[in-house]
Structures are given as C-alpha cells and as structure tokens.
Amino acid sequence: MGKSAVKGLFYICLIAATFVLATITIMAAFSGNVAPVDSVIMPLLGLAVPVLLIVNLITALCWALARKRWALIPLVAFFCNWGYLTSVFQLNLPKDKTPAGKYLKIATYNIHNFGGEITGYSCKEIARYMQQEGVDVLCFQEFGDNSDFPTDSIRRVLSHWSHALIPSEDSVKGVLPIAVFSRYPLANHRFITYQHSSNCSMMCDVVMGTDTIRLINNHLQTTSVSQKRRKWERELATDDTRREVQAAKDAAGTLHENFMKRATQTYVISHYAKTSPYPVLLCGDFNSIPSSYTYHHLRKTLKDGFRTAGNGYMYTYRYAKRMLRIDYIFHSPSLKGIAYYSPDLDLCSDHNPVIMEVEIQ
C-alpha cells in the first residue's frame, strides 16, 4: 500500500472518528430524559458530557485549522447540548431590589465535617463570610463534629443563626448528617432517610412573619468513586486482562447502582416539593451534574436558581478540573431569583458553597 493510500485511509478514519464522537455526544444530550432503570448506558453518557464537549471543541478546532468542512460536525454535536451549556454558563442582568420587597438569602454547603479540625478555624471562617454576605439560612451537608470541637462549640460560632435543626445522634447513626441554621424560626421539621443509603434529606418551614417557605436540604447518593478509585486503579494497572475487565465492570456497576438510588431519592424529594402548601427552596449536594436524570426531573416542577439569577461559569466541585456542578438551589416559580453565586472558598471542603437570594412575591 502506497503512502497516498495510507494517507487516504488515515483521513477516512479521522472522519469516521469525528462522526462517532459527534453521535455519542448528541446521544448524551438526551441522557437526562432517560431514567437509570431504563438504561445502563445513558446515565454514563450523561456523566461524560463535560469531557465530550471539550473533545468536540478540540476536534472542531483541529478540522478548522486544516480548513476542512468536517469542523461543522463536532460543532453541531456541541450545540446539541445547549441545555447543558446554559446550565453552567449564564448571562443574567442584575436584578433590582426594592425597599418594600421581602427577601431571603440562603446558602448550601457540603462542609465535609469541617475538615475534622480541632480548632474550628473553617467553621469560624464560614460564619464570618456568611454573616458578611447577609445569609439568612445555612444548609449544611456532612455536618459533623469531633471531641475537640463538639456541636455546642459549632452552635456558639454560628449563634448569629439562632434557630437550628441538628438531628439527634440516634437518628443519624450510619447516616452522613445534615443541618439547618436560620435567623428565622423553623417549624414542621422532618428528617428523611433512604433505604440502603447513608445519605439523607431534611425538610422544614422557614417562618418569616406572615410568609412561610418550605425548605428541603438534601445530600443525595454519593458516587462512591473516591472510596473505590484506588482499588480500581490497582486492578487497571495490572497486566491481567480479566482483572482489568472486571474492574471496569465493577466501576460501571457501582456508578449505575448509585444512579438508581439517586433517582429514587429524587422522586421522594420531588413529591415533597410538589405537595408543599408553601413556595419551595430545594437545595444541597445532589452528586449529579446538569446532564443527569436527577437534574432534569427536578426542573420539571422547580426552577434552577442559576438559570434565573446567575452569571458567568458555574461549578461547585473544587477538583476534577473544576468542571462539575453538583450543588444546587432550586426554587418554586412563585419565588423570584435575585442573585445566585458560588464563592471559591478554600477551606475544609472539596465543594464550594452556593448562595442564592430570592424575593418572596
């Protein structure tokens, strides 16, 4: 086979690879519409969307530099994921506040047990920052203390928010604890646990004089990737093909099992939101990116606060090249989004907090 023939074959393979990449990316754009119970592949494709989009852009750039029309194929696939793109990039005009308006500012933060710090440094810094930002309600996930900095010390640091809901030790046994701190009274609280899961949710009403907001603080099923990653990496590093295949199957099976659990948990909190007699703020660490079934299902009845009031690029997980948005604040359509942002706080957690201000209409 001559050089020209080899070159031609390579060129055809590049075109074929471009079409395959574009097809997979377009399929991934619809992954959020497919329940995990109905497909193993689609949730995995949804998880890969950020990487797929970057690879499509690089492919389009390469074809464009070569001045080939094939650059349009990955660009079409890229923009087929417009729903995902607008969930991480937004340009909203600043909202004006009126003196007569009623406003509530809420923050959600997976604090990773305050990093297990014995001095309470991160807790104090979080309290200082949130008070400076004028936050009215704090929703924490992975809220844990230790013998050197117990719950009483945490309460004192967060005394600006005088109303607190912290589940008792008996109710959080075997569960990653969550908590709510508020400047306003909290009523009708309910702690929600899930079968075969260490994750949980908490529901309560924030009473602001004559107005009441139903608050649902969530920590949905963890991915379990961090706990098992080293094991999978060891298996994949071996020269044993069977062990490598088994590690890949185990990883896919673990991810799918957790997709299923998150979907079930999503149905539970969605039901509570739909049946609420009051406007709803639903927030927390959902362990789901915007291409996921969880995100799409919640958006059927609630609004994504970033879409209504955010600006710029949004991510909340500090690692993975800052490509993952997994923490959210959703709200009822009757609440007006005023501001939504995620400050880059380098403290005790691998997450950033998310802060939103709403107007009660």
Side-chain angles (χ1 to χ4, degrees):
M1 184 181 289
K3 288 185 178 180
S4 60
V6 172
K7 186 178 179 181
L9 179 61
F10 181 68
Y11 183 69
I12 291 171
C13 288
L14 286 178
I15 295 171
T18 299
F19 273 94
V20 170
L21 172 64
T23 300
I24 292 172
T25 305
I26 292 171
M27 288 176 60
F30 299 96
S31 59
N33 299 321
V34 181
V37 70
D38 296 324
S39 174
V40 175
I41 298 298
M42 292 301 278
L44 291 172
L45 288 182
L47 189 61
V49 163
V51 174
L52 288 171
L53 294 180
I54 291 172
V55 174
N56 273 273
L57 279 181
I58 293 172
T59 304
L61 179 61
C62 290
W63 281 120
L65 291 174
R67 298 184 179 181
K68 299 296 183 181
R69 64 183 182 276
W70 304 116
L72 293 173
I73 303 303
L75 282 179
V76 168
F78 181 85
F79 285 108
C80 278
N81 283 268
W82 186 252
Y84 178 87
L85 293 170
T86 54
S87 66
V88 294
F89 291 99
Q90 277 292 327
L91 290 173
N92 284 302
L93 294 174
K95 308 289 197 310
D96 293 328
K97 294 173 64 174
T98 60
K102 298 178 182 179
Y103 301 95
L104 180 71
K105 203 165 192 178
I106 178 176
T108 178
Y109 198 0
N110 182 325
I111 51 175
H112 197 54
N113 301 318
F114 293 110
E117 297 170 350
I118 62 174
T119 62
Y121 170 78
S122 288
C123 182
K124 294 168 187 175
E125 284 299 299
I126 291 168
R128 182 190 62 78
Y129 180 81
M130 295 299 176
Q131 190 169 352
Q132 173 185 303
E133 292 296 302
V135 173
D136 300 305
V137 180
L138 296 171
C139 296
F140 291 129
Q141 303 86 43
E142 295 193 39
F143 177 87
D145 61 358
N146 59 63
S147 57
D148 295 295
F149 195 67
T151 300
D152 287 345
S153 298
I154 296 173
R155 278 181 175 271
R156 281 194 294 272
V157 172
L158 299 173
S159 59
H160 178 71
W161 299 271
S162 56
H163 304 275
L165 289 178
I166 304 173
S168 64
E169 289 187 12
D170 291 338
S171 63
V172 298
K173 192 173 183 179
V175 173
L176 295 168
I178 60 179
V180 175
F181 289 77
S182 172
R183 291 180 55 243
Y184 297 102
L186 301 172
N188 303 320
H189 60 275
R190 178 170 183 174
F191 186 55
I192 305 165
T193 56
Y194 304 108
Q195 281 190 332
H196 312 297
S197 175
S198 60
N199 295 77
C200 61
S201 298
M202 178 186 286
M203 183 169 62
C204 63
D205 293 336
V206 182
V207 182
M208 304 170 59
T210 58
D211 296 297
T212 301
I213 301 293
R214 174 66 50 89
L215 176 67
I216 308 176
N217 179 18
N218 306 276
H219 187 199
L220 299 193
Q221 185 64 35
T222 53
T223 60
S224 301
V225 169
S226 299
Q227 296 91 320
K228 297 187 178 183
R229 184 176 62 186
R230 290 184 180 177
K231 175 189 172 185
W232 294 335
E233 287 175 347
R234 286 196 302 269
E235 296 291 329
L236 292 170
T238 65
D239 293 328
D240 189 333
T241 304
R242 286 182 299 177
R243 290 177 67 182
E244 291 174 350
V245 170
Q246 185 56 46
K249 286 183 177 179
D250 183 38
T254 299
L255 287 171
H256 186 69
E257 179 186 353
N258 291 326
F259 286 139
M260 297 271 285
K261 288 182 179 180
R262 270 195 297 279
T264 301
Q265 294 163 4
T266 300
Y267 297 144
V268 173
I269 60 177
S270 179
H271 169 75
Y272 284 126
K274 287 177 183 176
T275 57
S276 169
Y278 309 114
V280 172
L281 284 170
L282 186 145
C283 67
D285 175 6
F286 293 81
N287 280 302
S288 303
I289 63 176
S291 53
S292 66
Y293 180 74
T294 290
Y295 178 84
H296 280 250
H297 187 80
L298 291 173
R299 278 199 64 216
K300 290 179 181 178
T301 53
L302 300 171
K303 290 190 174 185
D304 175 0
F306 178 63
R307 287 175 177 268
T308 61
N311 265 300
Y313 173 64
M314 177 58 60
Y315 73 94
T316 63
Y317 187 64
R318 297 177 54 80
Y319 302 123
K321 305 300 181 183
R322 304 195 174 188
M323 291 193 298
L324 303 181
R325 182 187 177 208
I326 58 176
D327 305 82
Y328 305 87
I329 299 175
F330 296 92
H331 63 92
S332 294
S334 59
L335 298 173
K336 180 183 177 182
I338 300 298
Y340 189 107
Y341 54 102
S342 180
D344 188 7
L345 295 188
D346 187 11
L347 292 171
C348 54
S349 177
D350 51 2
H351 293 246
N352 281 333
V354 176
I355 300 173
M356 183 178 189
E357 186 170 21
V358 296
E359 181 178 3
I360 303 168
Q361 298 178 310

